[in-house]
């Protein structure tokens, strides 16, 4: 096969989509939606995976998906009902199919033991794999062009063939000449044309056939091979194949499907009149030329055929439902990334051009300035389009979590269901990829540590089955993902005592509820009194937090006793560019994401209340907002005594709490290209990333919420970050 | 005679497999990802032959063949029907809809070329 690997990649990409569709269907099924469309969508996904796997010789995948498919087919045909135990096996099978695809994709050994175990489960419903199934498996060796001819083989020698195509044989594109030529490849031909049926020119319809042929074929090929040549015109001709001078073999052939008047022999066959349209021919039961399937494969009962037709119709609907009508293409992510980078450069260079123009002090109405304005408009559009290409629905990621909940529930003996919302929320591809691990961990935690045991839940009057809610939404220009359980909530006294025990906090620490909750994020913290097999993998919430921070995101926690715990993960929409307000802080340019900014103010001094800048609050139209002096918070200078010359930027975080950032001035509003600080330097609290301006200056992009959080946590803004900043200066120096 | 073959399959890997094989054999394959796209492509330029899958979104293979056969100029254009199922009922439906023959997936290059040559020469 040409460019096999490339093709294989395409196949695996398809598998991903198919597995998502399958999982979705299985989930709907488990939620009680056992309508034909749902079942058919699952069936089609498994079926397509099997089809592709067969083409690539992935035998175990083919074998497993075949049995899985057979089970689904039973369900589809209504021979089984979607009872709980069957659904469970289907879900396990779906999970295992996903594992097999992953193993094949990574070139790893698949877990044959698991395959056998799973097949065992399937066999409980289907009975043991029968030999007929094995035959079907053979069909999936990449050779078959199979028609069930039910023929005896053998029969080398001379054959007398009469080939009389119907009048309309050309309608479907048949060409008797090609059949003769193909026949010639089997041996030596002696062909006699019978043109006696050709009418006079007036009556002749050039699109119809009036010719027939008598052929003497001398060949070593089997009868089957000869029959195969006529395979496609079966039903569109009268055909007679007789071994020359061997009456016995001729009789044997009479039972073949190609014996047109089945059972009645040659004479009947030769008297059949051509019938008007092949479409009707095949369908009309009274037409003698139709060769009903005979031999080893009995004709399916009409009901089955109807079911198949109905299934076709449903199949179509199901697919429409699943796929919608949007055309799409697949593009290598690398190419998109390249585009993103180039567009990023474009934005930087454009900024440089603007800068140069400004330095030239041309009037704003000049042609050059107008042109540049247009250019910037266009490049913004390009950029947005590129970002849209990278955006993906979060759905596939969410889909994976159903399995995690299922597995975690099974491993811990908890009963849990996952509810998702906002699956259509679009997020940058890179974010989705990197979110998989932390999200998996949080979901596992929610089941393992969040939910109570079923009997306990019943005892306190909750539903036996706990619910994990996973939702995504766009909020304040970011993506907010919530993972909430309806469990016991954080056991704060226990958390606190563990933290004291581990020396994470002093024994006399006086912590608020929120502070105690946040202890979970400290490195080395684990609430599980014994390390459970599931969550205790040496990965704590601190790792989750770091992973999310490295995406420019934040994670916050909230919990209510007996009502549950929820984690809010807030992520940037994209990792590439950002609209920012350039402000000046202690002589340094800094960028604040526009999306976080509510308003900018220059309030009079009397609006500031408090003793000094570390506990100032600002009165904004009657409400008090805490003030953070950015320059002091980042350690550039000590806190201001007088806010008069400062500008206040009111920001709002995902939880709608507002803070007033104190900066020295506003310079500009522009789009900046995000350059990761994590990758190039390391994480600094309060700083999301860095950027390069058109004039070559480097500026920090602030992460306002984290800045605020850090200030409130540390209390004294002058420690912690200052050290980080000094290190940064040392590093850049 | 043109060697333009319209390849209709919603699975990109199968489509590319077929297209690659055909192209190397000197045919001029055109791809379509579903029945409707295939009809549109056929309307642009009538192909010399069509290879179509059955399980597809929007229009199934059989529905596509039926619609294709309604198009002027499609008479005489051979349509090969691809199926992963070895069900006779489906094959007969395909035949009734206007397919010249069928091929069971999966298949290797030789089989594919054999069948295409069988109908296209």
């Amino acid at each position: 096969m040409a460019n096999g690997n490339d093709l294989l990649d395409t196949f695996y990409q398809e598998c991903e989509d198919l597995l998502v569709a399958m999982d979705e269907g299985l989930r709907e099924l488990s939620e009680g939606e056992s309508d034909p469309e749902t079942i058919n969508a699952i069936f089609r996904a498994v079926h397509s995976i099997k089809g592709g796997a067969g083409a690539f010789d992935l035998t175990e995948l083919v074998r497993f998906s075949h049995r899985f498919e057979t089970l689904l087919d039973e369900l589809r045909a209504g021979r089984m009902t979607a009872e709980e135990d069957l659904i469970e096996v289907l879900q396990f099978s779906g999970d295992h199919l996903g594992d097999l695809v992953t193993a094949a994709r990574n070139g790893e050994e698949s877990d044959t033991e698991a395959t056998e175990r799973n097949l065992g489960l399937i066999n409980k419903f289907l009975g043991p794999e029968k030999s007929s199934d094995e035959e079907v498996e053979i069909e999936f060796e990449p050779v078959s062009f199979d028609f069930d001819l039910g023929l005896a083989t053998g029969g080398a020698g001379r054959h007398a063939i009469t080939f009389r195509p119907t009048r309309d044989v050309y309608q479907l594109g048949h060409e008797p000449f090609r059949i003769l030529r193909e026949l010639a490849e089997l041996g030596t031909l002696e062909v006699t044309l019978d043109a006696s049926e050709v009418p006079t020119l007036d009556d002749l319809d050039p699109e119809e056939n009036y010719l027939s042929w008598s052929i003497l074929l001398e060949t070593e090929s089997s009868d089957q091979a000869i029959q195969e040549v006529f395979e496609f015109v079966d039903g569109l001709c009268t055909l007679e194949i007789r071994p020359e001078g061997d009456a016995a073999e001729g009789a044997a052939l009479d039972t073949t499907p190609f014996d047109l008047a089945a059972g009645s022999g040659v004479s009947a066959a030769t008297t059949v009149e051509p019938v008007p349209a092949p479409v009707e021919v095949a369908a009309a039961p009274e037409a003698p030329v139709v060769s009903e399937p005979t031999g080893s494969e009995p004709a399916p009962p009409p009901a089955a055929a109807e079911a198949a037709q109905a299934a076709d119709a449903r199949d179509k609907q199901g697919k429409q439902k699943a796929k919608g009508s949007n055309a799409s293409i697949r593009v290598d992510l690398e190419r998109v990334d390249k585009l993103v980078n180039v567009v990023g450069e474009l934005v930087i260079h454009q900024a440089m051009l603007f800068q140069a123009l400004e330095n030239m002090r041309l009037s704003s109405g000049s042609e050059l300035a107008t042109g540049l304005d247009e250019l910037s408009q266009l490049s913004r559009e390009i950029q947005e389009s590129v970002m849209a290409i990278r955006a993906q629905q979060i759905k596939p990621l969410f889909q994976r979590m159903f399995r995690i909940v299922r597995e975690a529930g099974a491993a811990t003996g908890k009963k849990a269901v996952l509810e998702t919302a906002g699956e259509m929320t679009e997020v940058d591809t890179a974010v989705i990829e990197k979110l998989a691990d932390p999200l998996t961990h949080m979901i596992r935690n929610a089941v393992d540590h969040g939910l109570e045991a079923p009997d306990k839940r019943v005892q306190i009057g909750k539903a036996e089955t706990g619910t994990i809610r996973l939702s995504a939404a766009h909020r304040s220009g970011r993506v907010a993902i919530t993972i909430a359980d309806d469990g016991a909530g954080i056991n704060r006294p226990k958390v606190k005592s563990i933290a004291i025990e581990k020396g994470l906090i002093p024994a006399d620490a006086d912590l608020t509820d929120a502070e105690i909750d946040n202890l979970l994020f400290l490195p080395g913290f684990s609430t599980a009194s014994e390390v459970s097999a599931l969550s205790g993998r040496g990965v704590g919430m601190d790792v989750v937090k770091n992973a999310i921070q490295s995406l420019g995101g934040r994670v916050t926690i909230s919990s209510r006793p007996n009502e549950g715990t929820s984690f809010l993960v807030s992520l940037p929409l994209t990792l590439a560019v950002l609209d920012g307000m350039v402000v000046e802080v202690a002589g340094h340019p800094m960028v604040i994401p526009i999306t976080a900014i509510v308003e900018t103010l220059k309030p009079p001094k009397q609006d500031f209340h408090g003793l000094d800048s570390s506990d100032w609050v600002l009165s904004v139209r009657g409400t008090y907002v805490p003030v953070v002096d950015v320059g002091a918070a980042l350690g550039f200078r000590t806190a201001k005594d007088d806010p008069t010359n400062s500008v206040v930027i009111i920001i709002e975080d995902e939880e709608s709490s507002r803070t007033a950032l104190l900066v020295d001035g506003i310079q500009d509003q522009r789009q900046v290209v995000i350059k990761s600080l994590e990758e190039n330097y390391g994480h600094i609290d309060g700083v999301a990333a860095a950027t390069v301006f058109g004039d070559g200056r480097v500026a920090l992009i602030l992460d306002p919420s984290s800045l605020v959080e850090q200030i409130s946590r540390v209390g004294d803004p002058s420690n912690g970050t200052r050290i980080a900043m000094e290190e940064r200066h040392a590093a850049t120096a | 005679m043109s060697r333009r073959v319209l390849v209709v399959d919603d699975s990109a890997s199968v489509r590319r497999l077929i297209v690659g094989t055909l192209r190397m054999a000197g045919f001029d394959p055109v791809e379509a990802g579903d029945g409707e796209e295939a009809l549109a492509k056929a309307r642009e330029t009538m192909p010399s032959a069509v290879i179509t899958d059955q399980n597809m979104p929007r229009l199934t293979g059989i529905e596509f063949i039926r619609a294709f056969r309604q198009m002027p100029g499609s008479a005489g254009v051979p349509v090969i029907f691809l199926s992963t199922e070895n069900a006779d009922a489906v094959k007969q439906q395909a035949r009734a809809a206007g397919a010249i023959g069928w091929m069971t997936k999966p298949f290797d290059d030789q089989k594919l070329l054999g069948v295409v040559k069988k109908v296209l020469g």
Side-chain angles (χ1 to χ4, degrees):
Chain A
M1 256 164 248
N3 50 21
N5 277 338
D6 204 13
L7 273 177
L8 207 54
D9 284 346
T10 314
F11 166 65
Y12 288 128
Q13 278 171 3
E14 278 168 14
C15 279
E16 246 169 60
D17 293 348
L18 291 167
L19 288 170
V20 169
M22 178 194 74
D23 281 341
E24 198 183 347
L26 286 173
R27 182 164 56 79
E28 284 173 12
L29 197 63
S30 72
E31 285 164 2
E33 281 185 49
S34 57
D35 61 300
E37 272 168 42
T38 306
I39 297 170
N40 217 48
I42 308 170
F43 177 85
R44 199 190 77 82
V46 176
H47 179 81
S48 297
I49 290 174
K50 181 182 85 168
F56 295 106
D57 274 344
L58 303 168
T59 44
E60 191 175 354
L61 195 53
V62 171
R63 176 161 170 248
F64 183 74
S65 51
H66 175 65
R67 288 299 284 175
F68 187 12
E69 181 194 18
T70 310
L71 186 59
L72 286 165
D73 197 33
E74 291 294 302
L75 189 62
R76 183 167 77 153
R79 287 185 290 269
M80 284 182 188
T81 48
E83 304 289 346
E84 205 173 308
D85 50 346
L86 175 60
I87 292 173
E88 200 177 73
V89 169
L90 290 175
Q91 280 177 331
F92 282 140
S93 302
D95 292 347
H96 186 61
L97 188 65
D99 288 345
L100 285 177
V101 169
T102 309
R105 182 176 207 160
N106 298 340
E108 292 160 4
E109 289 274 307
S110 55
D111 186 352
T112 47
E113 217 173 279
T115 303
E116 293 309 324
R117 207 167 44 236
N118 224 309
L119 284 174
L121 290 175
I122 292 177
N123 290 346
K124 277 189 193 158
F125 290 89
L126 291 180
E129 288 176 70
K130 282 180 245 135
S131 56
S132 65
D133 278 326
E134 274 151 29
E135 275 165 35
V136 179
E137 277 165 30
I138 289 163
E139 185 200 314
F140 283 93
E141 287 173 11
V143 282
S144 67
F145 178 35
D146 69 278
F147 357 90
D148 196 355
L149 293 168
L151 275 182
T153 49
R158 277 166 75 86
H159 302 262
I161 302 168
T162 312
F163 174 41
R164 191 185 298 271
T166 56
R167 282 265 165 91
D168 54 1
V169 71
Y170 296 124
Q171 293 290 315
L172 297 185
H174 289 288
E175 171 54 86
F177 163 70
R178 287 199 200 100
I179 294 173
L180 296 179
R181 197 178 54 188
E182 204 184 335
L183 208 54
E185 286 175 11
L186 298 180
T188 337
L189 280 193
E190 224 174 85
V191 183
T192 315
L193 171 70
D194 176 3
S196 61
E197 299 287 318
V198 178
T200 58
L201 203 53
D202 286 345
D203 296 330
L204 187 131
D205 181 341
E207 292 196 349
E208 296 211 332
N209 169 58
Y210 303 94
L211 305 177
S212 57
W213 290 267
S214 301
I215 305 150
L216 265 180
L217 170 66
E218 198 162 331
T219 178
E220 294 300 310
S221 303
S222 65
D223 289 346
Q224 185 171 343
I226 301 171
Q227 299 281 9
E228 268 184 25
V229 173
F230 295 97
E231 158 76 0
F232 289 170
V233 287
D234 172 23
L236 292 174
C237 66
T238 53
L239 179 73
E240 201 191 310
I241 306 172
R242 270 179 316 188
E244 267 261 294
D246 189 337
E249 268 191 54
L253 273 175
D254 284 349
T255 62
T256 72
F258 288 90
D259 173 21
L260 301 161
S264 60
V266 172
S267 58
T270 51
T271 57
V272 170
E273 285 298 313
V275 280
V279 175
E280 270 81 40
V281 171
E286 71 273 18
V289 285
V290 175
S291 52
E292 292 290 341
T294 55
S296 62
E297 192 176 293
E306 269 168 36
Q309 248 168 347
D312 270 343
R314 289 194 300 262
D315 199 10
K316 188 194 150 205
Q317 286 173 356
K319 265 180 285 187
Q320 277 173 336
K321 182 179 150 197
K323 286 192 105 174
S325 56
N326 291 338
S328 65
I329 56 161
R330 286 187 177 279
V331 182
D332 201 342
L333 195 56
E334 259 176 46
R335 292 191 193 180
V336 179
D337 284 345
K338 172 117 197 265
L339 194 58
V340 171
N341 281 335
V342 173
V343 171
E345 297 300 315
L346 180 74
V347 172
I348 291 180
H349 281 266
Q350 186 183 290
M352 287 168 71
L353 266 179
F354 264 115
Q355 196 72 44
L357 193 71
E358 227 161 72
N359 295 345
M360 286 164 71
R361 294 176 203 290
L362 288 178
S363 74
S364 62
S366 73
E367 242 174 78
L368 198 56
T370 319
L372 257 183
D373 270 343
E374 278 166 17
L375 178 69
S376 86
Q377 186 61 34
L378 286 173
S379 59
R380 170 169 285 261
E381 273 177 39
I382 293 178
Q383 201 188 322
E384 279 167 6
S385 310
V386 172
M387 289 307 135
I389 293 177
R390 279 188 64 99
Q392 262 194 333
Q393 288 182 357
I394 204 159
K395 189 175 177 179
L397 180 62
F398 275 17
Q399 291 281 334
R400 274 150 75 181
M401 297 305 139
F402 284 95
R403 175 179 186 175
I404 304 299
V405 168
R406 221 157 43 233
E407 286 178 347
T412 57
K414 309 258 175 88
K415 288 199 164 182
V417 289
L418 180 66
E419 282 177 9
T420 57
E423 292 180 309
M424 303 302 168
T425 308
E426 291 196 332
V427 187
D428 192 280
T429 312
V431 175
I432 290 184
E433 272 171 27
K434 291 179 184 158
L435 196 58
D437 281 347
L439 195 57
T440 303
H441 192 78
M442 279 192 283
I443 293 275
R444 266 199 201 118
N445 263 339
V447 177
D448 194 7
H449 302 312
L451 296 181
E452 310 92 331
D455 50 345
K456 170 103 191 283
R457 287 182 66 90
V458 174
Q459 239 174 48
I460 57 174
K462 284 185 179 181
E464 192 182 14
T465 305
T467 307
I468 314 285
R469 285 190 185 79
L470 179 59
S471 64
H474 284 165
R475 228 181 283 166
S476 306
R478 291 171 74 92
V479 182
I481 297 170
T482 316
I483 303 105
D485 64 60
D486 64 349
I490 291 172
N491 185 342
R492 295 196 177 107
K494 192 172 162 193
V495 166
K496 194 177 169 186
S497 70
I498 289 173
I500 293 171
E501 195 182 296
K502 297 200 170 181
L504 299 170
I505 50 167
D508 57 350
D510 182 19
L511 303 177
T512 63
D513 285 354
E515 282 166 340
I516 295 176
D517 294 348
N518 276 300
L519 291 174
L520 294 182
F521 293 118
L522 289 179
F525 189 92
S526 172
T527 47
S529 35
E530 69 227 58
V531 175
S532 78
L534 191 68
S535 305
R537 293 184 178 177
V539 184
M541 286 301 288
D542 59 318
V543 176
V544 168
K545 188 172 187 174
N546 287 343
I548 288 166
Q549 274 178 344
S550 74
L551 289 170
R554 277 186 300 283
V555 54
T556 51
I557 187 170
S558 66
S559 179
R560 294 168 82 99
N562 281 324
E563 286 177 29
T565 307
S566 84
F567 289 89
L568 174 69
V569 177
S570 151
L571 294 162
L573 275 180
T574 159
L575 304 178
V577 284
L578 162 110
D579 275 313
M581 185 174 278
V582 183
V583 298
E584 198 180 308
V585 175
H588 297 269
M590 305 251 159
V591 179
I592 299 174
I594 289 282
T595 50
I597 299 176
V598 182
E599 61 182 326
T600 56
L601 304 166
K602 227 173 153 166
K605 192 176 180 186
Q606 63 266 28
D607 282 0
F608 290 87
H609 304 267
L611 290 175
D612 61 56
S613 66
S614 65
D615 62 357
W616 268 337
V617 288
L618 176 67
S619 163
V620 182
R621 290 181 292 273
T623 47
Y624 290 96
V625 179
V627 177
V628 171
D629 180 349
V630 178
L634 291 176
F636 283 116
R637 54 171 161 70
T638 52
K640 284 192 170 188
D641 300 324
D642 181 3
T644 318
N645 291 322
S646 301
V647 176
V648 164
I649 297 175
I650 307 283
I651 55 157
E652 187 178 75
D653 66 15
E654 297 76 24
E655 288 150 327
S656 299
S657 64
R658 295 188 172 193
T659 308
L661 296 184
L662 212 57
V663 300
D664 301 342
I666 294 173
Q667 287 186 348
D668 193 3
Q669 186 176 318
R670 66 173 90 177
Q671 204 164 40
V672 296
V673 179
I674 301 171
K675 301 284 178 191
S676 167
L677 207 57
E678 308 270 340
E679 278 169 30
N680 301 314
Y681 174 65
H683 179 75
I684 297 176
D685 280 339
V687 178
T691 188
V692 185
F693 288 148
D695 58 6
R697 282 182 303 162
V698 173
L700 297 180
I701 301 172
L702 299 179
D703 179 351
S705 303
S706 127
L707 197 64
V708 171
E709 182 193 319
Q710 176 219 351
I711 300 307
S712 55
R713 191 176 64 229
V714 175
D716 175 12
S718 58
N719 66 19
T721 309
R722 172 181 292 162
I723 299 162
M725 293 305 289
E726 277 162 5
E727 278 173 11
R728 190 183 68 87
H729 285 306
T732 46
Chain B
M1 187 175 194
S2 146
R3 291 168 74 78
R4 187 181 162 100
V5 181
L6 181 56
V7 180
V8 195
D9 198 315
D10 60 330
S11 157
S13 58
V14 173
R15 211 164 60 223
R16 288 177 56 192
L17 196 90
I18 298 173
V19 164
T21 307
L22 291 178
R23 195 167 283 142
M24 280 170 74
F27 289 95
D28 171 24
V30 183
E31 291 180 57
D34 61 58
E36 277 177 20
E37 193 187 341
L39 287 175
K41 292 254 164 94
R43 232 169 265 132
E44 271 169 36
T45 314
M46 183 54 68
S48 307
V50 180
I51 299 177
T52 179
D53 184 30
Q54 161 61 2
N55 279 312
M56 288 186 298
R58 301 218 270 179
L59 281 183
T60 66
I62 288 174
E63 286 165 336
F64 157 69
I65 297 171
R66 271 189 211 120
F68 177 72
R69 285 296 177 212
Q70 299 297 313
M71 287 172 63
S74 72
V77 175
V79 178
I80 298 165
F81 178 73
L82 296 179
S83 172
T84 39
E85 285 155 281
N86 195 17
D88 252 318
V90 181
K91 285 180 192 170
Q92 291 310 328
Q93 277 177 38
R95 164 70 75 78
I100 187 173
W102 51 86
M103 197 160 37
T104 306
K105 282 202 248 181
F107 40 79
D108 65 7
D109 328 12
Q110 290 314 307
K111 200 78 234 177
L112 172 69
L113 289 178
V115 171
V116 173
K117 283 177 180 158
K118 190 171 181 165
V119 299
L120 202 55

